[in-house]
């Protein structure tokens, strides 16, 4: 604000612009009636100071969400936190610091903020509707006492002045010897648009959460997926989502390809991922080929499927002690090291006879010997090998009814096969077979497939949220860039005084320019002795004066 | 996407950035000489009366209430003023070098040249200097030169020393036209916020009771506010564009990734600043401090988040 607050309303009281909402301390309740307290509470809640405090709290409350792992974002990290420092984690959990953005206290802050916002914006919207139609107030007595004022000699008439100001898109009212003009109503409109858009955004986000869902699934090359709740590894529905409402598409993963930088400092950095899918939008529609890439999800009627991650699924053939093939297929391995895609595999063979078998293995996509060990040096499967780290027999614990991770061997009832050697054996090359100790059978490394992880999302709130966000930006630009300003002109026998003021923050520099321009425009009338003054703006032809005060820029 | 890198151009880019650092420092010395030996400003004690304003002062930013600046010395040293003029020329040359450094890197790797921390910081310094130079064509803000160029030189130096990575291709997640929209908006907004931050710091240094080479606190506060008013919508847009990109790349438009959290905190903090001024009527030091808190959030988001938190933003490619 250019003008210190105490000078900006110099002039008459009616000169103050009505858009101001002064930071008034809400009056304490008079007497102690419930109504009085409620009214006081409401006024306090919807006051600007409360809103500011809530705004700060909102920001502050988000901070722990970036410091501590969040269940909704990365549940594994939270579990790890619990494992590493249980007591601390328990306390953090007590304050819901692992679920900040869904915590009741966080919701309390933003709900209060938005109630405060609504309580402030709705009444303002109503008064703004009146404001838009309101005429600029009559000229104050002494225009030279306004923040901007200037006087000159000239034969300007009320009609001329009014016409000139109207042409500058001012809304104009005239009196016997004065003209009042105002401009910049869109500022307030923009401000309201912005705040209402924020409310709309909150609703869109909330509705998206209620009526949308998210699911994650891992698919190995050659396998398929059908969009049903049961097919997901992890399914997170909104409260209003039923199993039947899922879009019934399906697809097969035909091939996945990743390319990497082959040499130099960035060797091994991924360049491109591409998953070739054969998609059926409905069970009866013809399959279509889709090339799924990062940044380019599959869209089936608004249900989007994203390529999130990938890894290796070496295939194994396990023959048990009775000579029967007990397992033959891919085993998705967890990526241990992103730079080389060294992966950890767990092979469970529940069908093996006479006892179940389990293996822990390491998959090395580009194997090179390193001393008396082997390492992977590149993420692509250039020289894939599998190192069997542990072989077990016994009970895999799959029948206990307890859910079990496919990536972990439950070693309670398992015994190592043969003698554990300190050094893991040489890795199996592609196609190689190893006999198991104790006559338990043999295991063959038969091939390499890749897996991808996908996320499927349906969020009906996306587009409304986008619309609200766009409206918020538009409103913001209007409310920050447009100035609300008033100009008065008074004529008393060849003496013309012009006064102006603006209530807009910070850019009175621009207004003083505009004011100077207006003054020279008004000066510039035909019979004025001062017409040598700088001429700006259009030269007025004696335009007929419209009697009404039409709206200007709305 | 090719992985070919034109190493000749990449090296040229590195050299250009080094030269730019030196030029910014040279310009900074010129500005500093002008500040040290040039005009000294005092703030007239008299409270400003609303007075008639002629067209004469209309082209000055603080125009309506430019406070009379009384030179304490009879006249500023002519050579000092010339030093300032030379500094402006040097700044333009350095700016061109900065631009050329960015362009050559972009051409060398055949992609938008702001896909890792090093490139991002280089671009932000460029944006800050651009904001300063553009504003200077319209407003008398040459006094800011020393502070803006030293900030840019420090930023670039930091990038060269600690963040530099070889020019090269980027992660698949960054293959998107959204990098042009989201990151460019973030860079432009950050450049302006830096300008505002510099003014806000100067505001705290400036003591209106004493003569100083700096303009009055009021002018500094006004420039701070102006820069934030311009950049806040751009930042808002950058955050929204980021959400739209996240919707393409990660399967949700908002997921409270650390970068998202801090972009949001920064946004709320700047909004709090605007509210503190517009509606709560805060002026002066209180508002300036709110703006600096917001600025600290911005800087933390640009640098701290990449170092302290791991998130999905794969550009945060900080050499360890
Ligand atoms: C309870 C919450 C809120 C209330 C009561 C509130 C109230 C107001 C009011 C009364 C104005 C009037 C400005 C004027 O006409 O000069 C305003 C302006 C503004 N509000 Fe809010 N607001 C709230 C929340 C927010 C939020 C959450 C944001 C964004 C983070 C925001 C951003 C803005 C901006 C950017 C302006 C324009 C500031 C300026 O004119 O310089 N508001 N707000």
């Amino acid at each position: 604000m250019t003008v210190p607050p105490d000078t900006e309303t110099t002039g008459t009281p009616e000169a103050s612009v009505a858009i101001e909402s002064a930071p008034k301390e809400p009056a304490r309740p008079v007497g102690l009636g419930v109504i009085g307290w409620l009214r006081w509470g409401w006024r306090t809640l919807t006051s600007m100071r409360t809103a500011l405090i809530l705004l700060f709290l909102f920001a502050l409350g988000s901070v722990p969400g970036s410091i501590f792992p969040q269940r909704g974002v990365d549940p594994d990290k939270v579990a790890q936190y619990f494992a590493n420092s249980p007591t601390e984690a328990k306390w953090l959990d007590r304050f819901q610091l692992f679920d900040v953005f869904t915590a009741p206290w966080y919701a309390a802050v933003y709900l209060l903020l938005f109630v405060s916002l609504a309580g402030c914006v709705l009444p303002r919207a109503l008064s703004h509707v009146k404001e838009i139609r309101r005429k600029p107030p009559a000229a104050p007595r002494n225009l030279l006492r306004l923040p901007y004022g200037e006087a000159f000699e000239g034969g300007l008439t009320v009609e001329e002045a009014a016409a000139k100001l109207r042409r500058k898109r001012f809304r104009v009212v005239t009196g016997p010897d004065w003209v009042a003009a105002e401009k910049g109503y869109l500022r307030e409109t923009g401000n309201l648009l912005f705040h209402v858009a924020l409310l709309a955004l909150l609703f869109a986000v909330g509705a998206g959460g209620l009526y949308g869902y998210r699911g994650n699934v891992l698919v190995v090359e050659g396998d398929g997926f059908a969009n049903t709740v049961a097919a997901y590894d992890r399914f997170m529905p909104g409260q209003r989502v039923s199993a039947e409402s899922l879009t019934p598409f399906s697809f097969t993963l035909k091939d996945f390809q990743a390319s990497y930088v082959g040499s130099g400092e960035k060797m091994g950095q991924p360049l491109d991922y591409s998953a070739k899918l054969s998609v059926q939008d409905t069970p009866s529609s013809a399959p279509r080929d889709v090339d799924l890439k990062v940044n380019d999800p599959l869209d089936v009627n608004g249900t989007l499927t994203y390529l999130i991650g990938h890894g290796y699924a070496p295939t194994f053939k396990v023959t048990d002690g009775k000579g029967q093939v007990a397992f033959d297929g891919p085993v998705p391995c967890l990526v241990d090291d992103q730079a080389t895609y060294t992966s950890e595999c767990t092979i469970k063979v529940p069908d093996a006879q006479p006892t179940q078998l389990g293996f822990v293995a390491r998959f090395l996509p580009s194997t090179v010997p390193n001393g008396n060990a082997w390492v992977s040096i590149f993420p692509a499967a250039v020289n894939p090998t599998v190192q069997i780290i542990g072989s077990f027999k016994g009970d895999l614990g799959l029948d206990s009814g307890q859910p079990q991770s496919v990536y972990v061997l439950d070693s309670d009832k398992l015994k190592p096969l043969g003698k554990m050697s300190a050094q893991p054996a040489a890795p199996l090359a592609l196609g190689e077979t190893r006999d198991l100790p104790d006559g338990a059978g043999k295991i063959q490394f038969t091939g390499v497939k890749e897996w991808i992880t996908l996320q499927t999302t349906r969020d009906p709130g996306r587009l409304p949220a986008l619309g609200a966000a766009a409206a918020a930006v538009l409103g913001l630009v209007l409310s920050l860039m447009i100035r609300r300003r008033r100009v008065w002109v008074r004529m008393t026998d060849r003496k013309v005084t012009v006064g102006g003021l603006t209530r807009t923050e910070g850019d009175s520099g621009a207004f003083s320019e505009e004011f100077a321009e207006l003054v020279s425009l008004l000066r510039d009338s035909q019979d004025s002795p001062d017409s040598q003054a700088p001429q700006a703006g259009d030269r007025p032809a004696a335009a007929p004066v419209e009697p009404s005060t039409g709206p200007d820029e709305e | 996407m090719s992985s070919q890198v034109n190493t000749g151009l990449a090296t040229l880019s590195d050299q250009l950035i080094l030269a730019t650092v030196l030029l910014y420092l040279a310009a900074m010395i010129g500005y500093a000489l002008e500040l040290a030996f040039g005009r000294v400003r005092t703030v007239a004690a008299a409270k400003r009366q609303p007075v008639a304003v002629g067209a004469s002062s209309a082209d000055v930013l603080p125009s309506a209430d430019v406070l009379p600046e009384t030179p304490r010395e009879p006249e500023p040293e002519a050579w000092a003023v010339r030093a300032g003029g030379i500094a402006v020329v040097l700044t333009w040359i350095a700016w061109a070098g900065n631009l050329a450094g960015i362009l050559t890197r972009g051409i060398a790797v055949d992609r938008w040249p702001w896909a890792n921390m090093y490139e991002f910081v280089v671009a932000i310094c460029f944006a800050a200097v651009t904001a300063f130079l553009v504003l200077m064509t319209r407003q008398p803000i040459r006094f800011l030169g020393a502070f803006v160029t030293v900030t840019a030189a420090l930023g670039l130096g930091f990038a060269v020393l600690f963040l530099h990575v070889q020019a090269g291709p980027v992660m698949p997640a960054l293959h998107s036209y959204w990098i042009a929209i989201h990151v460019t908006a973030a860079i432009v907004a950050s450049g302006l916020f830096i300008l505002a931050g510099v003014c806000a710091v100067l505001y705290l240094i400036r003591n209106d009771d004493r003569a100083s080479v700096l303009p009055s606190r009021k002018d500094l506060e006004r420039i701070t506010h102006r820069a934030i008013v311009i950049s806040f919508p751009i930042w808002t847009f950058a955050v929204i564009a980021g959400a739209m990109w996240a919707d393409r790349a990660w399967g949700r438009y908002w997921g409270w990734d650390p970068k998202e959290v801090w972009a949001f905190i920064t946004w709320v903090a700047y909004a709090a600043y605007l509210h503190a001024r517009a509606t709560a009527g805060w002026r002066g030091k209180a508002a300036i401090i709110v703006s600096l808190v917001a600025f600290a959030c911005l800087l933390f988001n640009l640098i701290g988040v990449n170092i302290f938190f791991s998130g999905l933003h794969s550009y945060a490619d900080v050499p360890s």
Side-chain angles (χ1 to χ4, degrees):
Chain A
M1 178 97 21
T2 34
V3 216
D6 51 334
T7 56
E8 63 194 33
T9 46
T10 340
T12 51
E14 77 266 20
S16 73
V17 181
I19 56 175
E20 178 70 358
S21 61
K24 267 185 239 113
E25 181 76 21
R28 306 266 148 199
V30 197
L32 277 179
V34 177
I35 304 281
W37 277 105
L38 281 179
R39 187 172 292 162
W40 173 80
W42 177 250
R43 254 193 252 127
T44 308
L45 180 61
T46 54
S47 81
M48 202 55 222
R49 174 170 309 170
T50 312
L52 262 181
I53 292 171
L54 287 171
L55 214 51
F56 270 121
L57 279 181
F58 197 21
L60 208 61
S62 316
V63 174
S66 71
I67 296 175
F68 304 112
Q70 297 294 297
R71 280 207 180 87
V73 179
D74 199 343
D76 296 341
K77 275 220 190 102
V78 179
Q80 210 172 347
Y81 207 108
F82 268 94
N84 294 347
S85 31
T87 20
E88 198 189 327
K90 209 160 65 191
W91 275 100
L92 292 174
D93 206 26
R94 233 163 248 174
F95 295 101
Q96 293 139 334
L97 292 180
F98 296 119
D99 309 276
V100 168
F101 303 107
T102 50
W105 60 262
Y106 191 76
V109 172
Y110 71 73
L111 287 179
L112 277 178
L113 179 61
F114 275 86
V115 169
S116 171
L117 178 67
C120 175
V121 166
L122 293 181
R124 277 161 59 88
L126 294 181
S127 69
H128 180 51
V129 173
K130 283 189 221 129
E131 183 71 17
I132 281 178
R133 286 195 235 109
R134 206 166 81 177
K135 297 169 181 172
R141 199 151 300 128
N142 189 348
L143 294 180
L144 290 181
R145 285 180 57 212
L146 291 176
Y148 300 87
E150 188 148 344
F152 55 86
E153 299 272 309
L156 186 70
T157 65
V158 167
E159 288 73 25
E160 268 173 6
K164 284 177 178 179
L165 286 167
R166 265 200 203 103
R167 193 167 306 171
K168 287 280 175 193
R169 303 178 59 80
F170 274 87
R171 181 180 301 181
V172 175
V173 180
T174 54
D177 62 343
W178 52 265
V179 178
E182 182 159 7
K183 191 172 171 174
Y185 292 82
L186 267 183
R187 171 189 173 75
E188 182 82 337
T189 310
N191 190 268
L192 287 167
L193 178 63
F194 172 77
H195 288 90
V196 172
L198 284 189
L199 281 176
L201 185 62
L202 188 78
F203 278 115
V205 172
L210 279 181
Y211 292 94
Y213 63 83
R214 241 181 333 143
N216 296 94
V217 65
L218 181 148
V219 182
V220 179
E221 278 172 323
D223 286 356
F225 167 81
N227 190 27
T228 54
V229 173
Y232 285 105
D233 300 331
R234 183 163 170 242
F235 186 68
M236 293 153 278
Q239 269 107 324
R240 298 300 179 88
V241 175
S242 62
E244 303 85 61
S245 61
L246 269 58
T247 316
F249 70 95
S250 61
F251 61 79
T252 315
L253 174 60
K254 295 197 294 190
D255 187 27
F256 173 78
Q257 274 162 3
S259 56
Y260 303 91
V261 179
S263 61
E265 192 182 307
K266 302 221 166 190
M267 184 169 130
Q269 186 200 285
L271 277 174
D272 196 23
Y273 304 129
S274 159
K276 309 266 186 264
L277 305 181
S278 174
V279 180
Q280 276 182 288
D281 289 356
T282 63
S284 55
S285 57
R288 59 180 172 119
D289 282 340
V290 171
D291 190 4
L292 186 65
K293 284 174 173 283
V294 182
N295 277 314
D296 191 8
L298 162 70
D299 184 348
V300 182
N301 300 324
T303 300
L304 295 161
T305 302
Y306 299 80
L307 177 59
I308 297 291
H310 71 108
Y312 287 102
T315 57
F316 296 95
K317 186 152 135 189
V318 179
T319 312
D320 65 17
K322 296 198 163 165
Q324 261 147 10
V325 176
F327 183 90
D328 189 4
V331 176
C333 302
L334 284 182
V335 183
D336 206 31
D337 174 16
Q338 291 285 342
T340 62
Y341 268 79
T342 302
S343 310
E344 300 292 336
C345 317
T346 304
I347 308 154
K348 298 184 184 183
V349 192
D351 297 338
Q353 300 287 339
T355 59
Q356 297 183 326
L357 296 173
F359 304 89
V360 177
R362 180 178 296 140
F363 176 77
L364 305 170
S366 287
T367 318
V368 293
N370 178 15
N372 49 7
W374 288 266
V375 293
S376 173
I377 52 159
F378 195 68
V382 177
N383 177 29
T385 63
V386 171
Q387 224 172 350
I388 306 288
I389 296 174
S391 316
F392 304 88
K393 66 176 178 186
D395 182 0
L396 290 169
L398 294 176
D399 307 323
S400 65
Q402 299 257 0
Q404 205 188 66
S405 165
V406 293
Y407 302 111
V408 184
L409 273 188
D410 177 2
S411 54
D412 282 0
K413 296 178 193 152
L414 290 174
K415 277 205 289 294
L417 278 173
K419 285 184 292 259
M420 283 291 246
S421 65
Q423 271 189 22
L428 294 171
L430 204 57
E432 226 177 310
T433 307
R434 173 144 316 144
D435 287 329
L436 299 171
D438 305 346
K442 57 190 178 176
I443 181 166
Q444 185 185 14
F445 171 33
T446 52
V448 179
K449 288 186 170 185
E450 288 180 80
W451 54 258
I452 56 175
T453 41
L454 298 169
Q455 171 164 309
T456 298
T457 311
R458 177 160 184 91
D459 184 349
R462 293 164 70 231
L463 291 180
L466 179 60
V473 174
L474 177 68
L476 196 57
V477 169
L478 291 179
S479 87
L480 287 177
M481 301 302 163
I482 290 183
R483 274 160 285 132
R484 181 86 181 259
R485 58 254 194 231
R486 286 180 178 170
V487 172
W488 290 272
V489 189
R490 191 187 286 285
M491 304 85 172
T492 34
D493 33 75
R494 294 196 63 77
K495 185 165 182 297
V496 180
T497 50
V498 188
L501 62 78
T502 165
R503 294 305 296 264
T504 303
E505 279 291 298
D507 52 4
S508 67
F511 181 66
S512 77
E513 220 169 284
E514 183 183 6
F515 184 76
E517 199 181 295
L518 286 173
V519 168
S520 70
L521 176 71
L522 291 169
R523 243 178 220 249
D524 181 24
S525 76
Q526 299 92 324
D527 62 340
S528 163
D530 298 44
S531 55
Q532 66 273 36
Q535 301 180 359
D538 41 350
R539 244 198 128 74
V545 183
E546 295 114 58
S548 75
T549 60
D552 48 22
E553 23 186 347
E554 256 72 33
Chain B
M1 190 81 196
S2 93
S3 65
Q4 291 304 308
V5 176
N6 183 331
T7 37
L9 268 181
T11 312
L12 176 63
S13 165
D14 291 349
Q15 288 162 348
L16 279 167
I17 296 300
L18 275 182
T20 304
V21 175
L22 298 179
L23 282 167
Y24 279 143
L25 286 176
M28 189 268 294
I29 292 171
Y31 290 119
L33 284 176
E34 186 186 23
L35 282 184
F37 298 99
R39 170 170 299 214
V40 172
R41 309 159 201 239
T42 44
V43 175
K47 198 155 170 260
R48 188 189 153 271
Q49 286 299 310
V51 284
V53 182
S56 55
S57 60
D59 49 348
V60 199
L61 166 89
S63 55
D65 15 53
V66 178
L67 295 162
E69 286 162 4
T70 36
R72 195 174 54 182
E73 310 293 329
E75 262 308 301
E77 304 272 1
W79 65 267
V81 176
R82 211 172 319 125
I86 292 171
V88 173
V89 174
L90 283 175
T91 315
W92 275 107
I93 297 174
W95 176 85
N98 202 340
L99 177 64
I102 293 173
L103 288 179
T104 45
R105 186 151 172 127
I107 297 167
V109 291
D110 191 22
R111 58 169 170 77
W112 288 87
W114 34 76
N116 55 46
M117 271 296 277
Y118 167 74
E119 293 168 357
F120 191 62
V121 172
V122 168
I124 285 181
C125 293
F126 175 73
V129 175
T130 309
F132 164 68
L133 287 173
V134 168
L135 263 181
M136 193 165 54
T137 60
R138 301 171 48 187
Q139 327 274 357
I141 55 164
R142 192 148 110 189
F143 69 92
L144 273 178
F147 308 97
V148 171
T149 48
V150 76
T151 307
L154 285 176
L156 286 181
F158 178 78
V160 169
L161 288 179
F162 300 110
L163 303 175
H164 184 265
V165 288
Q166 285 304 327
V170 292
M171 305 292 287
L174 294 175
H175 302 173
S176 170
Y177 55 87
W178 280 109
I179 195 171
I181 301 168
H182 165 61
V183 186
T184 309
I187 287 170
V188 171
S190 304
L192 279 160
F193 281 140
I194 287 176
L195 199 66
V198 167
C199 283
V201 170
L202 292 180
Y203 177 98
L204 294 183
I205 294 170
R206 172 73 156 123
N207 181 344
D208 270 349
D209 299 336
R210 267 189 263 131
S212 161
V213 294
L214 296 174
S216 70
R217 283 189 143 190
K218 225 165 139 204
D219 288 346
L220 289 166
E221 187 181 11
R222 189 172 305 123
I223 300 169
T224 306
H225 179 254
R226 194 85 200 112
I228 292 176
V229 160
I230 297 171
S231 50
F232 186 71
I234 303 177
W235 181 254
T236 310
F237 174 77
V239 173
I240 292 170
M244 291 167 79
W245 188 0
D247 185 53
R248 289 304 284 172
W250 298 332
R252 81 287 184 294
Y253 55 84
W254 197 267
W256 300 110
D257 177 67
K259 203 85 187 174
E260 292 172 345
V261 173
W262 280 91
F264 172 73
I265 292 172
T266 307
W267 184 73
V268 171
Y270 276 113
Y273 165 78
L274 290 177
H275 277 90
R277 282 187 58 105
T279 47
W282 290 11
R283 286 294 179 279
K285 205 161 177 176
I288 284 289
I289 286 174
V290 176
S291 88
L292 281 173
V293 169
F295 186 54
C297 293
L298 180 85
L299 289 184
F300 184 76
N301 194 23
L302 294 184
I303 297 166
V305 169
N306 297 358
I307 294 170
F308 297 118
F309 304 130
S310 72
L312 292 166
H313 274 82
S314 49
Y315 82 87
D317 187 0
V318 186
S320 42

